[in-house]
Amino acid sequence: MAANEYYNSSSRPHNYEPSISSTNPPSYASQPHQHPQDPRAGASTVSPFESVFDDHVYPTDSHTRPNADSVNSSQQTFAYDTRYHGATPGDVSPVGADDIPLRQQNKTPGFAADSADHVYDVSEQGAGSRSAPKRGLLRFGELGMLGSEKKRIPVMVYLFSLIQVGVFIGELVKAAQLTGSPIQIHPQFNPMIGPSQQVLINMGSRFVPCMKNVDGVQNYPAPGFGWPCPNTTSLDPTNDSNKCSLSELCGFSGVPNPEWNRASGLNQTPAPNQWFRFITPIFMHAGIIHIGFNLLLQLTMGKEIERSIGSLRFFLVYMSAGIFGFVMGGNYAAPGISSTGASGSLFGIIAITLLDLLYSWGERRNPGRELIFIVIEIIVSFALGLLPGLDNFSHIGGFIVGLCLGVSVLHSPNALRRRIGEDHFGGPSYSTVGGGITSVAFPSFHRNPVGFFKGRKPLWWAWWLVRAGFLVLVIVVFIVLLNNFYNNQNNCSWCKYLSCLPVNNWCDIGNLTITSSSAPRKRSIELFPLELVANLYG
């Protein structure tokens, strides 16, 4: 009642100016309520409905006329508790009629509404602890491409890792069944701490003689030669474990054995054609050290890359880089090398990290230092591929596909997105002033193919032509290499130096040579007469 009489009084001024002061509302605890004394003796102005929980920011005595200072003070404090009401001309509250409590308002600093309402508003300090901080410059090692802030579950990384661990356990079990030991210790120790090469070949490693006619095998003169069996533990050519056929060594229902015809051996039909050996080696490893290093890289860098680009893109890059690497190695590596491992796939992922750096160059603190670090990492990795027995062509092929396919399937560079406009890349463009949408996203291709291309900017077309060009380039090179693998022999004499150093006959390792000597050359594959055996030990 007293409040209604006070605020509805005709003598009360109506045109108030909100105070720019930011004085906080009176504390309930520190300022106890005091009732003004009424001049009439014995009269009580305490309302029978009043309690200790009432808000006393307005006077309870409706007959007491406030002075100018008290009006301004009451006016300001009244604004604190009434800012949730709609604003009309003459009202105290500057809040719009369409404003909603608890919604963040665009307030002018110093205005009366800038003070925090202790009932309806949340302070900036309190809200800051719940909201995500603004993203600044990227630190060393952070991903910066579009999507890197998302916390997706790296399904493909976990799935690939589980499959690889399971396959490796299967390798150890089969080696134990065939040779009596899960790790090769006879006739020599496997430095990778894993099964023998014969076991790996029998389980699906990339071994060219199991995949096509090879010069030096199908055209070798009769009576031919024998191959080491998967269960062999001896170098003795007279041992029965070294007198298997090519079909027994390759496994998987076997392959056509060589006809030992020097004249038309390379045209033998049907030819060995275990094409799946371009895929299965991705999930196989030569030993504990081999799989340990690959899983370390895959579960760290690979996991972050998948979270950034998504599982579908990661799957495409990972598998394409791995397959392309083994195809390239099949063309230019020595035909007697048994190759396994996900190194080609992981080199494709390393290429994605380089693209991420280039795509977010402007948002990084020290992009030059990160570029130097990645380049050194790539050079060291390729240098390790020059060691004996390693297939560096798989590394090179995987890296090339990672770059080309990454440009094709990844999101566009951040600077290009800002220059062209976000609406050209699947989302609306938001104005920095007022927070309104300035343009509408283009429709998706599968919903409206014509509308997807209509109205695009020339720079958008140029970038998509570049992306399409890289995709076509990868497909064409893959087809050419695959055709060359099956229809031609390796005629590149200098290519071998990309995978070996010309010291201690390292570049001869894996070559199929014809000899009549029974003394095997270290880390080489030699073909012997029928009573001897092809030495596959490294």
Side-chain angles (χ1 to χ4, degrees):
M1 296 282 298
N4 292 334
E5 292 178 4
Y6 175 76
Y7 287 108
N8 296 326
S9 173
S10 60
S11 61
R12 173 179 172 267
H14 291 284
N15 296 325
Y16 291 107
E17 292 296 329
S19 172
I20 62 174
S21 172
S22 59
T23 306
N24 292 327
S27 172
Y28 294 106
S30 61
Q31 298 182 9
H33 173 58
Q34 296 180 357
H35 302 283
Q37 297 295 329
D38 189 81
R40 294 173 296 177
S44 175
T45 60
V46 179
S47 171
F49 305 99
E50 184 179 4
S51 70
V52 296
F53 302 101
D54 289 345
D55 190 353
H56 299 288
V57 297
Y58 55 86
T60 58
D61 186 3
S62 61
H63 300 286
T64 302
R65 300 300 180 187
N67 54 29
D69 293 337
S70 64
V71 168
N72 290 336
S73 176
S74 176
Q75 166 75 19
Q76 178 182 349
T77 55
F78 175 71
Y80 289 120
D81 292 338
T82 58
R83 283 188 295 115
Y84 57 91
H85 293 294
T88 57
D91 280 349
V92 175
S93 175
V95 182
D98 59 345
D99 288 338
I100 301 174
L102 300 182
R103 173 185 290 177
Q104 175 126 8
Q105 310 295 340
N106 295 325
K107 305 171 185 177
T108 304
F111 204 58
D114 189 58
S115 58
D117 188 315
H118 58 279
V119 177
Y120 293 95
D121 286 350
V122 180
S123 65
E124 295 292 337
Q125 294 80 2
S129 59
R130 299 180 182 180
S131 61
K134 292 183 178 180
R135 189 171 184 177
L137 294 178
L138 298 172
R139 295 174 295 179
F140 184 83
E142 287 185 336
L143 298 177
M145 70 177 71
L146 180 66
S148 59
E149 74 283 354
K150 297 182 180 180
K151 298 300 180 183
R152 303 182 178 97
I153 299 177
V155 178
M156 289 293 103
V157 167
Y158 293 150
L159 180 61
F160 287 150
S161 300
L162 287 175
I163 294 175
Q164 289 162 355
V165 171
V167 171
F168 183 69
I169 293 175
E171 295 174 15
L172 298 179
V173 171
K174 186 163 186 176
Q177 293 174 346
L178 294 175
T179 66
S181 173
I183 299 172
Q184 180 187 9
I185 55 178
H186 298 294
Q188 60 190 32
F189 179 73
N190 182 356
M192 289 291 183
I193 313 179
S196 65
Q197 293 296 313
Q198 289 73 35
V199 172
L200 295 178
I201 293 173
N202 191 255
M203 292 192 66
S205 68
R206 193 206 66 204
F207 188 59
V208 176
C210 297
M211 305 174 71
K212 69 170 186 174
N213 293 331
V214 177
D215 186 18
V217 177
Q218 271 73 17
N219 60 350
Y220 189 80
F225 55 86
W227 297 86
C229 301
N231 64 342
T232 185
T233 57
S234 172
L235 285 176
D236 183 5
T238 62
N239 192 301
D240 290 339
S241 64
N242 289 323
K243 295 182 180 180
C244 282
S245 64
L246 179 62
S247 180
E248 291 173 318
L249 175 63
C250 295
F252 295 100
S253 300
V255 297
N257 286 311
E259 297 178 356
W260 313 118
N261 190 330
R262 181 182 288 273
S264 61
L266 294 179
N267 297 322
Q268 173 184 324
T269 56
N273 187 24
Q274 293 187 347
W275 55 268
F276 54 83
R277 291 181 182 267
F278 286 135
I279 303 175
T280 54
I282 298 176
F283 306 100
M284 300 179 63
H285 291 83
I288 296 176
I289 296 177
H290 191 194
I291 192 174
F293 277 106
N294 280 359
L295 287 180
L296 178 63
L297 185 62
Q298 187 165 286
L299 291 174
T300 53
M301 181 178 66
K303 181 175 67 174
E304 296 302 321
I305 290 295
E306 183 181 353
R307 285 177 173 174
S308 298
I309 68 178
S311 297
L312 179 58
R313 291 184 176 92
F314 183 86
F315 176 83
L316 291 175
V317 173
Y318 188 93
M319 293 300 298
S320 299
I323 295 174
F324 190 94
F326 283 117
V327 171
M328 188 173 183
N331 276 272
Y332 301 111
I337 290 180
S338 170
S339 182
T340 58
S343 299
S345 299
L346 295 177
F347 267 86
I349 301 304
I350 293 176
I352 296 297
T353 63
L354 178 60
L355 286 178
D356 174 79
L357 171 63
L358 299 178
Y359 279 18
S360 59
W361 186 272
E363 288 83 21
R364 296 189 175 275
R365 296 181 179 179
N366 297 296
R369 186 181 68 174
E370 294 193 51
L371 178 61
I372 293 175
F373 179 83
I374 292 179
V375 170
I376 292 176
E377 179 186 11
I378 294 172
I379 293 176
V380 171
S381 300
F382 283 140
L384 293 176
L386 299 175
L387 295 176
L390 297 181
D391 182 10
N392 207 27
F393 291 104
S394 295
H395 303 167
I396 297 173
F399 185 80
I400 292 175
V401 168
L403 283 178
C404 296
L405 196 60
V407 172
S408 301
V409 303
L410 296 185
H411 293 293
S412 303
N414 298 349
L416 186 64
R417 298 177 67 88
R418 290 192 298 268
R419 183 174 179 179
I420 299 179
E422 291 292 336
D423 55 339
H424 276 65
F425 297 95
S429 176
Y430 291 91
S431 172
T432 57
V433 179
I437 299 178
T438 59
S439 59
V440 180
F442 288 88
S444 58
F445 178 80
H446 68 278
R447 292 184 178 179
N448 189 353
V450 177
F452 177 80
F453 294 102
K454 188 177 181 180
R456 300 287 187 176
K457 297 180 180 179
L459 189 57
W460 182 90
W461 281 103
W463 174 244
W464 273 83
L465 288 176
V466 171
R467 299 176 70 174
F470 274 103
L471 180 60
V472 172
L473 177 64
V474 169
I475 296 175
V476 170
V477 173
F478 177 78
I479 294 175
V480 170
L481 288 177
L482 202 60
N483 179 74
N484 183 75
F485 174 79
Y486 283 108
N487 297 323
N488 300 288
Q489 301 297 321
N490 182 11
N491 297 319
C492 181
S493 59
W494 59 269
C495 291
K496 61 182 179 181
Y497 297 112
L498 295 176
S499 187
C500 67
L501 293 175
V503 294
N504 296 328
N505 296 321
W506 283 3
C507 294
D508 295 330
I509 296 173
N511 291 331
L512 298 176
T513 58
I514 302 175
T515 179
S516 60
S517 171
S518 61
R521 187 165 51 196
K522 184 179 180 181
R523 285 188 172 274
S524 66
I525 299 179
E526 298 185 355
L527 304 184
F528 302 93
L530 185 60
E531 67 273 8
L532 301 180
V533 66
N535 179 23
L536 301 179
Y537 293 103

